[in-house]
Amino acid sequence: MATIGNTYLSLADLYKRQDPKGQIAAIVELLAQSNPILEHSIAVECNDGTSHQTVTRSGIPTPTWRSLYQFVQPTKSTTVAVKDATGMLEAWSEIDSKLVEISKDPAALRLSEAEPILEGINQDVATTYFYGDQATAPAKFTGLTPRYNSLSAPSGQQIVDAGGTGSDNTSIWFIEHGVMATHLIYPAGTMAGIKREDKGKQTKDNGSGGVMDVHREKFNQDIGLSVRDWRRNARVANIDVSDLSITAATGANLFDQLVKTYHRVTKHKTITQGKKVIYCNSTIMEFLDHQSRRANSNALLTWREMTKDSEPVLFFRNMQIVQSDAILNTESRVV
C-alpha cells in the first residue's frame, strides 16, 4: 500500500506547520481527540477558488479481441465532472480584560476560555463531514451521507443493508483517505484548518449605557469535502440500534456486515492507495466487543499499541476502527 502524507498532509499536520508560534497547534491536539477525522484526513487546496473540481471515472473502456488484419475501434473511459464547495464556520471569544490583566499566563487563560468555542466548531465539522448537505443547508459543505443514501444509485453498490427499519438506525463507514479517494479541501490561497484573529482589547456596550473592556478573538474555518472515487468508500447502513444484541441473536450481526463491507472496498484495487479507516460510534464499538467475545470472532479483531501514549488501537483485519460519536443513532432507513 502506498504511503500518503509525504506530499499531502493531514489536517493536523497542516495546523502545526502553518502556525509556527504554536497557538493553533496546541489546540489541534485537543480537538483531534474528539474528532478523529482531523487526524486521518488529508487536506488539499481547492483548485477553483472556494470550490474544488474533480473528474470521477464512471466507466472503464472495453478492449476488443481481434484477429489478424481486423480493425479495432478506439475506446475511452467515461467520466463525470464533480464540483465540491467549501463552507465557512465562524465563532467569537470574549473575556473580561481585567481577568487577562491579573492572570499570570494570559495566553493560557484565553485559550482555556476559547476551548468550548473551538470544541463547538470541531463537533460541527465532524457532524457535517458525515451528514452535511448543501441542498438543504447551502452554507455547509456536503458530507458523506448524501453521497451514499440510495441503494438504487450508482454508489448503492457500496452500501450494505443491515436490515434496520424506522428512524433509530446508525451506520459504520469504511473510508479511504487519499488525494485520489476522499479528502478535505480548503479555499485556494488560504490556510487550512482553524484561523485565529486576535482583535485585542475593545470596549463593549451592552445597549443600555453599560460598558466594559473585553479581549476578543475570532476563530473561523473554511472547509469542505471531496470524494474523488466513491468506490473506495462503503457504508453499512440501516443498523437498528434498538434491535442490537450482545449475542447477535437479534438485530444486526456486526461481523457479518463488516465482512461484506470489507470486500466492497478491497475489490477496487488501484495504483494509488490511501489509508483505509473504519468509523463507528460508541454504541457500535460496545456491541462489537460483546459480539466478538460471544461469537468467537476475536480473530477478526486485534488490539495494537499505536499511539504515542501506548494506548491500544482496535483493528478489523488490516483496517483501524475509530470511534466517532458524530455518527448518530437516529438515522432514517436507507432505501
Side-chain angles (χ1 to χ4, degrees):
M1 180 179 294
T3 301
I4 64 172
N6 293 330
T7 303
Y8 295 95
L9 303 173
S10 72
L11 196 55
D13 292 332
L14 284 172
Y15 275 127
K16 297 171 186 176
R17 292 194 180 191
Q18 293 180 342
D19 184 19
K21 294 182 179 180
Q23 294 171 314
I24 298 299
I27 293 168
V28 75
E29 298 292 343
L30 301 173
L31 300 187
Q33 294 176 17
S34 57
N35 183 3
I37 298 297
L38 294 181
E39 180 181 354
H40 301 121
S41 293
I42 68 167
V44 175
E45 186 174 359
C46 288
N47 56 21
D48 187 25
T50 59
S51 300
H52 194 66
Q53 296 195 49
T54 56
V55 176
T56 300
R57 181 163 286 107
S58 56
I60 302 297
T62 302
T64 301
W65 291 99
R66 65 178 290 263
S67 302
L68 291 174
Y69 302 106
Q70 176 187 350
F71 289 98
V72 176
Q73 186 69 30
T75 60
K76 65 177 182 178
S77 64
T78 57
T79 57
V80 175
V82 177
K83 187 173 184 178
D84 292 297
T86 55
M88 298 182 290
L89 267 176
E90 186 173 304
W92 291 69
S93 170
E94 289 184 346
I95 182 171
D96 193 315
S97 293
K98 191 63 178 180
L99 279 176
V100 177
E101 292 171 8
I102 63 178
S103 173
K104 292 182 179 180
D105 190 345
L109 173 67
R110 296 179 70 178
L111 175 59
S112 68
E113 290 297 313
E115 267 188 45
I117 294 176
L118 292 165
E119 180 59 28
I121 294 176
N122 187 45
Q123 292 181 11
D124 218 323
V125 168
T127 300
T128 306
Y129 187 95
F130 289 106
Y131 299 105
D133 188 351
Q134 286 191 313
T136 57
K140 298 184 177 183
F141 64 87
T142 296
L144 290 173
T145 294
R147 305 171 196 252
Y148 298 86
N149 210 33
S150 172
L151 298 175
S152 59
S155 62
Q157 63 181 276
Q158 297 302 103
I159 301 175
V160 172
D161 184 0
T165 58
S167 58
D168 63 341
N169 300 310
T170 190
S171 296
I172 301 174
W173 288 93
F174 285 58
I175 302 174
E176 181 180 331
H177 299 287
V179 68
M180 297 301 293
T182 299
H183 59 79
L184 297 172
I185 55 176
Y186 60 95
T190 69
M191 184 182 79
I194 296 177
K195 293 174 281 293
R196 171 185 176 270
E197 185 178 349
D198 188 349
K199 294 293 186 178
K201 185 177 179 179
Q202 298 186 11
T203 300
K204 183 179 181 180
D205 189 330
N206 67 358
S208 302
V211 295
M212 66 178 291
D213 284 339
V214 297
H215 274 74
R216 282 179 176 163
E217 292 179 298
K218 183 175 77 171
F219 298 91
N220 66 287
Q221 183 170 25
D222 297 348
I223 190 170
L225 181 69
S226 176
V227 179
R228 184 71 180 269
D229 187 346
W230 52 263
R231 301 172 305 161
R232 303 201 196 184
N233 301 328
R235 177 187 183 185
V236 184
N238 303 330
I239 303 173
D240 194 314
V241 175
S242 61
D243 285 347
L244 285 172
S245 66
I246 62 177
T247 62
T250 60
N253 183 314
L254 297 176
F255 285 93
D256 285 350
Q257 309 308 321
L258 288 176
V259 169
K260 291 178 185 177
T261 315
Y262 177 86
H263 290 284
R264 301 285 175 96
V265 294
T266 56
K267 70 179 180 180
H268 298 296
K269 298 291 186 180
T270 57
I271 297 174
T272 55
Q273 293 288 298
K275 181 179 181 180
K276 294 182 172 69
V277 182
I278 300 172
Y279 296 92
C280 64
N281 63 23
S282 57
T283 302
I284 296 300
M285 288 288 270
E286 179 182 347
F287 277 96
L288 276 174
D289 199 355
H290 284 307
Q291 291 186 8
S292 68
R293 290 184 294 112
R294 284 164 174 79
N296 195 27
S297 300
N298 281 318
L300 297 176
L301 286 181
T302 56
W303 290 92
R304 309 177 193 173
E305 290 190 356
M306 296 283 290
T307 68
K308 62 182 179 181
D309 299 320
S310 297
E311 289 291 329
V313 177
L314 185 62
F315 279 76
F316 173 76
R317 294 186 170 169
N318 62 335
M319 296 184 189
Q320 184 179 351
I321 302 178
V322 175
Q323 180 177 314
S324 174
D325 284 315
I327 303 174
L328 303 176
N329 284 330
T330 55
E331 296 178 352
S332 299
R333 174 168 172 77
V334 176
V335 295

